[in-house]
Amino acid sequence: MRVEPYLIFDGRCEEALSFYRQALGAEIGMVLRFKDNPDPLPPDALPPNAADKIMHAVFKVGKSTVMASDGRCVGPPRFEGFSMALNVKDEGEAKLRFTALSDGGQVQMPLAKTFFSPCFGMVMDRFGVSWMTTVYL
């Protein structure tokens, strides 16, 4: 059994996939658009311009799988009550990934040495997803 995050970007999924490819080296796998759904949705399920939006996508960051969607495309994405934990091998990679994730986002705790890591920081990316970057020894 595995537990994998499923992020709903409310209309910004394609932009998010591109951003995570650049910022984290994400490998994009399956991308299924609403217009390709073999089962028609009820007429009021989505806004009229949502046919090209992403119904389901899968991407990998390192060995981790993350799933994503545009959801119902009804407003700004809301990611509350959790953080994505990005565990990296060294301080150089921590700085690289943290800086990339903070582009257009908001640093919540700058990278710094802590009692549990030589380099830890927290950032909310441009989509509102919270990331905790940690170097584990």
Side-chain angles (χ1 to χ4, degrees):
M1 181 183 321
R2 295 186 325 202
V3 175
E4 297 169 337
Y6 202 115
L7 305 175
I8 309 296
F9 289 96
D10 276 321
R12 297 183 69 191
C13 189
E14 191 149 10
E15 180 187 353
L17 293 174
S18 178
F19 178 74
Y20 296 137
R21 179 185 292 129
Q22 177 269 325
L24 300 174
E27 295 179 23
I28 311 304
M30 174 199 290
V31 175
L32 177 64
R33 298 186 185 280
F34 284 105
K35 68 181 179 185
D36 299 324
N37 182 357
D39 298 323
L41 295 171
D44 61 342
L46 296 169
N49 61 346
D52 286 324
K53 294 295 185 179
I54 296 173
M55 185 170 82
H56 178 70
V58 177
F59 65 99
K60 292 185 90 52
V61 177
K63 296 178 183 177
S64 300
T65 299
V66 180
M67 293 177 279
S69 173
D70 275 313
R72 296 197 61 230
C73 308
V74 293
R78 292 177 29 153
F79 300 102
E80 298 173 342
F82 74 96
S83 290
M84 300 290 282
L86 184 63
N87 302 315
V88 298
K89 63 183 178 195
D90 58 43
E91 291 181 45
E93 186 176 7
K95 290 175 185 172
L96 176 74
R97 302 305 181 190
F98 188 86
T99 300
L101 287 168
S102 66
D103 182 23
Q106 180 181 9
V107 173
Q108 297 167 318
M109 179 181 168
L111 288 173
K113 183 177 180 170
T114 66
F115 71 93
F116 58 86
S117 173
C119 191
F120 172 81
M122 298 181 350
V123 62
M124 182 180 296
D125 71 22
R126 64 178 68 175
F127 305 100
V129 178
S130 177
W131 293 85
M132 295 187 298
T133 303
T134 308
V135 173
Y136 280 110
L137 297 178

